[in-house]
Amino acid sequence: MSDAFTDLFSAPLTFNWTLSFRCNFVCAHCYSRYEEGEELSTADLRRIVDVLALKQVPFINFGGGEPLLRSDLCELAAYARSQGLNVSMNSNGWLLDGVAAENLQRAGFSTVGISIDSHRADLHDDFRCQPGSFDRAVAALDHLRAAGIKTTMSSVISRINFKNFRALLDLAREHGVSQVYLHNFKCSGKGFENRQELDLTPDEWRDFYLEALAVKNEQSEPAISFDDPVIASLPQYPRENSLVKGSSCGKLSLHLRPNGDITPCGFIPLVVGNILRDDFDEIWFNSPVLNRMRNKTAKGKCGGCDAFADCLGGCTARALAVNGDFDEPDPHCWK
């Protein structure tokens, strides 16, 4: 399949939407903890939904910050559903009690993801800098299941869990989670600040993915998903299921900041336009930043590498954060 994304879709499949940078946690890896920005009114948020519906974007995923800190979250989600969009969200689970779960169900959320980074409460609480957060996150999974909402679990792989990720899968299975996202460690925000302490070496990433892919092939529940393009350099990775090669940011998805600014993803703080002020098609098809991401040039050790055609240099956000250049090799690459 061609990687010329604009030949395939007229708009992204997903908008990852940060409604607010406000959060009740101070997580050790957070990309947005130092971010600030104006938050739009409910009326303006509905105008954004209208744009997404007009462009036939099928999915919205609310993130943050903590999306439940916006009192109009359910109102906005219900409006998006009325316009034909599918809505999901990711939460730290702190505010997600039984009443909140019922409200999310009535608003039409198709799935809700809860962030849990260790099967051990002490490690999770320390990573999230919030005592008691593990117990409330696990309780949130149960509240969502009781309300009839499909649940997922997001786990950022780091030094605290990469040797024990099977226990995370057991925890997910115990609480009826349908899918576990094993996220790669980004190097943005506090993630950059703490990367020496928390990030894995390239060889450790290779060994982790080899083991995780083997586990994925052994079991069907919960489903295991990855979001790291560097994994495509492994022969064991099934390439036939990939809609695009390399990073999906700027190809399958875009990110919305609280003021309506669009960035390629939450981890790349380069504004390519504003969804309420600028022409969306002009941004999507002609943004110099997006087109550079879609047409990367092999630099450094990527030049001549037999895996470049599959991974396209790995994670663009990580390469930019660490090396200052989209086209530099992903620092996680083990080749």
Side-chain angles (χ1 to χ4, degrees), residues 2 13 22 24 32 45 48 50 55 133 138 147 152 162 173 177 190 194 215 221 233 240 257 270 306 309 333:
S2 169
L13 298 182
R22 290 177 289 133
N24 46 353
S32 65
L45 297 179
I48 290 177
D50 291 340
K55 295 302 174 183
S133 59
V138 171
T152 65
F162 79 107
R173 194 176 300 111
V177 171
K190 289 182 69 65
N194 295 318
V215 171
E221 293 183 358
S233 65
E240 63 273 9
R257 293 167 64 90
L270 299 177
D306 58 2
C333 178

Side-chain angles (χ1 to χ4, degrees), residues 74-250:
C74 287
E75 176 187 345
L76 181 64
Y79 180 69
R81 287 291 298 124
S82 74
Q83 300 305 303
L85 288 91
N86 297 281
V87 292
S88 60
M89 65 174 281
N90 290 92
S91 170
N92 59 39
W94 187 268
L95 300 172
L96 218 162
D97 58 13
V99 173
E102 291 289 345
N103 289 338
L104 294 174
Q105 192 277 330
R106 283 193 291 271
F109 278 89
S110 56
T111 61
V112 174
I114 301 298
S115 295
I116 300 180
D117 297 300
S118 176
H119 68 290
R120 286 176 44 184
D122 59 330
L123 290 179
H124 173 88
D125 290 0
D126 183 62
F127 189 67
R128 296 277 165 176
C129 301
Q130 183 66 274
S133 59
F134 176 84
D135 289 340
R136 290 178 78 149
V138 171
L141 291 174
D142 295 337
H143 291 311
L144 290 164
R145 181 167 58 167
I149 298 179
K150 179 182 176 182
T151 57
T152 65
M153 199 165 93
S154 293
S155 303
V156 176
I157 298 302
S158 71
R159 294 221 154 267
I160 74 166
N161 60 19
F162 79 107
K163 293 182 178 180
N164 300 298
F165 75 93
R166 291 172 186 259
L168 278 166
L169 301 176
D170 291 339
L171 177 69
R173 194 176 300 111
E174 179 184 345
H175 292 275
V177 171
S178 64
Q179 191 165 18
V180 176
Y181 292 90
L182 299 177
H183 294 293
N184 61 95
F185 188 90
K186 301 296 195 300
C187 300
S188 302
K190 289 182 69 65
F192 185 88
E193 180 182 291
N194 295 318
R195 67 191 182 99
Q196 298 300 329
E197 176 186 352
L198 293 172
D199 203 358
L200 312 186
T201 68
D203 285 350
E204 286 171 333
W205 279 112
R206 178 198 60 210
D207 294 345
F208 164 74
Y209 281 130
L210 285 171
E211 183 180 359
L213 283 169
V215 171
K216 178 180 174 69
N217 291 332
E218 293 167 3
Q219 65 178 52
S220 58
E221 293 183 358
I224 301 173
S225 296
F226 309 100
D227 62 352
D228 193 346
V230 78
I231 196 176
S233 65
L234 291 172
Q236 295 85 346
Y237 182 70
R239 295 165 182 78
E240 63 273 9
N241 295 329
S242 300
L243 287 174
V244 294
K245 294 182 178 181
S247 174
S248 63
C249 299

